[in-house]
Structures are given as structure tokens and as C-alpha cells.
Amino acid sequence: INAEYMGSCRTLFGPIRGCAVWDLFNATFALLPLAAGIDGLVFCAHAGIPRPRAFGGDDRAGLLRSRWPLDEAARTARQQEVFTDLIWADPSGSGVEDSGFRQNPERGKNACYYGESALDDFFATTGYQLLVRAHEPKVSGFQLQKSGKVVTIFSSSGYMHAGNAAAGLFVNRGLVQVLGRHSLGHGGYRCRR
């Protein structure tokens, strides 16, 4: 339960309608997938890629097609790990060891960073070639990372009065193009089929 969001709904719509609006948003979110693929080439998640299972083979492709309970108490430990990775994982920054997965203490005890080798392994397992995420505001509205294999798109300009631009993404027949509120000067990225 996000008490801050519920408070916003109650402020905007009043105490009774606000709770009803909050319930409708939660019911809608319960029907949405945690991640999505576009043309089998572009993987879209709020934050990152899931870690592989520690034992017993790679189950990520199957898990990503599953429906899970929104209630954390009803999820298996593995579902919770994948859920956390899709919502909170960040690409490791420059100058940081760039292999596999490692803990991200800034986001909490279960959150992780992923490096380029983890990304390459995920792409080899799933067939995707590009990760699109939205988890962090960027000055220009977008940022390319991990040799152009990760693009962060932030669609809210002026987020928290930070002065950032907004960006969006257009995907058509393997061509991925960044669209921005300001001219960003980026021609696009072509996925290989």
C-alpha cells in the first residue's frame, strides 16, 4: 500500500472518492504485466533485468510470462526476487565492476546492480537486444548505457523541480528512436533480426 499516493488521491478527490480512485488504480495495476517485450527484440521494465535462479537452470523466460499476485505475502521467494529486480535494479555505473549482479545498498537489502555481462547473458537467454527502463530521471530525458544496450527513458519533465527534459521512445520494425521534448540529436538504434 502506497500511503503517500492514497493521500494524494484523497486530497484531489476527497476522502471517499479518493479511496475509490486509489482502489481503481490498484485494480488496474494488478492487471498490468511487470515487463513487456516488443517484437522479441526490446525488453521493457521499470528498472532492470531479473537475476538467474541460483540453482536448477534459468527460469527467467517462463517467469516473465507468468501472472503474479500483487500482494507480496502471496508471492514465492523467487517471484519476489524477480519482482524486486524488475522494479528496483539499476545498471552499474561507470568505474564500477561491470560483471554479473551485485547488491545495491542505495535501493535496499534485496536490490541489485547488473553489469554488462549480466545483460549479455539475459539477452542470450531471452533473445532480446535492448533494455528500455524508466527508473531514474535524466537531464536530457534519456540516457544510453552499457554500450548502447540499455536506454533509460524518463517521460516526466521537471521531475521534483529538477529541470530535466522528458523523452519517449518510438519502436517500429526494429528501429528504436528516442523522441524528446527538446531536440536530443539521437538518430536511433536498429535491432538486428
Side-chain angles (χ1 to χ4, degrees):
I1 296 175
N2 184 330
E4 186 176 326
Y5 183 62
M6 179 185 269
S8 295
C9 289
R10 292 178 73 160
T11 298
L12 287 169
F13 302 105
I16 295 172
R17 260 199 195 137
C19 287
V21 167
W22 186 85
D23 285 339
L24 288 170
F25 270 102
N26 280 288
T28 301
F29 283 123
L31 299 173
L32 297 174
L34 285 174
I38 301 172
D39 296 335
L41 301 171
V42 180
F43 181 73
C44 305
H46 177 70
I49 57 173
R51 289 170 265 199
R53 186 167 51 182
F55 303 102
D58 198 329
D59 63 344
R60 292 179 288 186
L63 277 171
L64 294 172
R65 288 189 295 269
S66 301
R67 275 227 178 278
W68 310 344
L70 262 184
D71 180 14
E72 185 175 337
R75 290 185 215 126
T76 67
R78 177 63 178 144
Q79 287 174 328
Q80 183 57 38
E81 179 181 65
V82 172
F83 184 92
T84 300
D85 293 345
L86 293 172
I87 302 299
W88 291 107
D90 291 316
S92 56
S94 60
V96 175
E97 169 61 38
D98 203 20
S99 62
F101 293 87
R102 65 180 179 78
Q103 187 178 8
N104 179 349
E106 294 174 29
R107 300 271 189 212
K109 67 177 184 161
N110 296 320
C112 68
Y113 287 111
Y114 51 92
E116 194 158 349
S117 66
L119 196 61
D120 290 340
D121 178 60
F122 178 74
F123 288 164
T125 300
T126 61
Y128 292 112
Q129 296 177 18
L130 180 68
L131 167 63
V132 176
R133 61 189 299 272
H135 189 48
E136 301 169 286
K138 301 298 177 185
V139 173
S140 64
F142 82 103
Q143 181 182 24
L144 292 172
Q145 294 171 276
K146 304 294 172 213
S147 304
K149 298 174 203 168
V150 176
V151 61
T152 299
I153 296 290
F154 204 76
S155 62
S156 179
S157 62
Y159 181 72
M160 304 288 290
H161 309 289
N164 64 290
L169 207 65
F170 179 73
V171 180
N172 185 23
R173 298 183 184 148
L175 178 66
V176 179
Q177 189 166 18
V178 175
L179 307 170
R181 182 172 167 205
H182 305 292
S183 175
L184 301 174
H186 188 268
Y189 173 90
R190 181 160 300 273
C191 293
R192 296 178 287 305
R193 288 201 182 262

